[in-house]
Amino acid sequence: MKHINKAAKLKQIKLLLLDVDGVLTNGTIIYDDNGGEIKTFNVRDGFGIRMLINSGIEVGIVTGRKSKALHHRCNDLGITDIFEHVRYKASILDIIKEKKSILKSEIAFIGDDIPDISIMKEVGFSAVPFDGDPLVKTYADWIIDKNGGDGVVREFSEAVLKAKGLWEEIITKLITNTE
């Protein structure tokens, strides 16, 4: 793991990209009798994503697989940038940078397995769940204390919002119902 000023790097983030299996889920894939895929998502991760989006920080998906369940979850959360069947994940960065007029230093990525290393090496900030692959951890700026599917994205979201000085305002609005 690299030694960096985590808060300073998180303050720059304008886009969070996420792997799915092992980050938004615990990595388990369940198939029903018809071959449909079932995924379990953490509601706290979802709330963290919504807080980011509501604060003007975009969230996107970069995954090596394709899943209808993922599309349902993304639709529910307001995530519109979904890159599926991406084998070499760093390959989508130029597309994203051009589409969003964003710098690599303003992009964060959370991944958990070896295919995620290529993009982790190229973004401004990278993180890995606690139960991520040991090799991936060596490329991460932050090893999050939560396992995949167990609040990793929520913890990351809170850290970004705190680094940007937005956390207290968000909490006050939520507690006092003032918008």
Side-chain angles (χ1 to χ4, degrees), residues 17-177:
L17 297 174
L18 302 166
D19 179 39
V20 178
D21 298 314
V23 174
L24 284 173
T25 75
N26 68 3
T28 300
I29 299 170
I30 301 170
Y31 292 101
D32 64 21
D33 288 341
N34 298 317
E37 189 172 285
I38 299 170
K39 292 185 181 288
T40 303
F41 297 98
N42 186 302
V43 71
R44 289 190 179 115
D45 282 341
F47 189 65
I49 289 169
R50 285 181 191 234
M51 286 190 293
L52 286 176
I53 292 171
N54 290 341
S55 298
I57 299 157
E58 296 184 71
V59 178
I61 301 294
V62 182
T63 180
R65 303 188 75 247
K66 186 171 185 162
S67 164
K68 289 181 183 178
L70 172 64
H71 280 270
H72 290 296
R73 184 63 172 150
C74 288
N75 186 54
D76 183 45
L77 295 173
I79 298 172
T80 57
D81 290 315
I82 305 168
F83 299 89
E84 298 174 296
H85 281 282
V86 181
R87 296 293 172 222
Y88 182 71
K89 294 185 180 183
S91 67
I92 58 98
L93 284 176
D94 287 337
I95 296 166
I96 291 171
K97 285 181 2 188
E98 185 174 320
K99 178 181 178 183
K100 306 220 174 266
S101 297
I102 194 168
L103 303 171
K104 285 183 184 180
S105 62
E106 299 169 322
I107 302 171
F109 180 80
I110 305 175
D112 71 305
D113 210 347
I114 293 169
D116 300 319
I117 293 172
S118 69
I119 194 168
M120 291 174 77
K121 290 170 40 178
E122 298 295 325
V123 296
F125 193 92
S126 62
V128 61
F130 186 76
D131 62 346
D133 183 272
L135 179 60
V136 178
K137 290 179 179 181
T138 66
Y139 289 91
D141 296 312
W142 181 18
I143 300 171
I144 299 175
D145 292 333
K146 304 273 187 193
N147 288 335
D150 194 29
V152 168
V153 179
R154 173 64 172 271
E155 189 168 330
F156 189 89
S157 298
E158 287 185 20
V160 168
L161 294 168
K162 287 175 182 175
K164 289 180 170 286
L166 301 171
W167 180 250
E168 294 301 324
E169 179 183 345
I170 290 168
I171 296 306
T172 300
K173 285 180 181 178
L174 288 170
I175 293 172
T176 61
N177 195 29

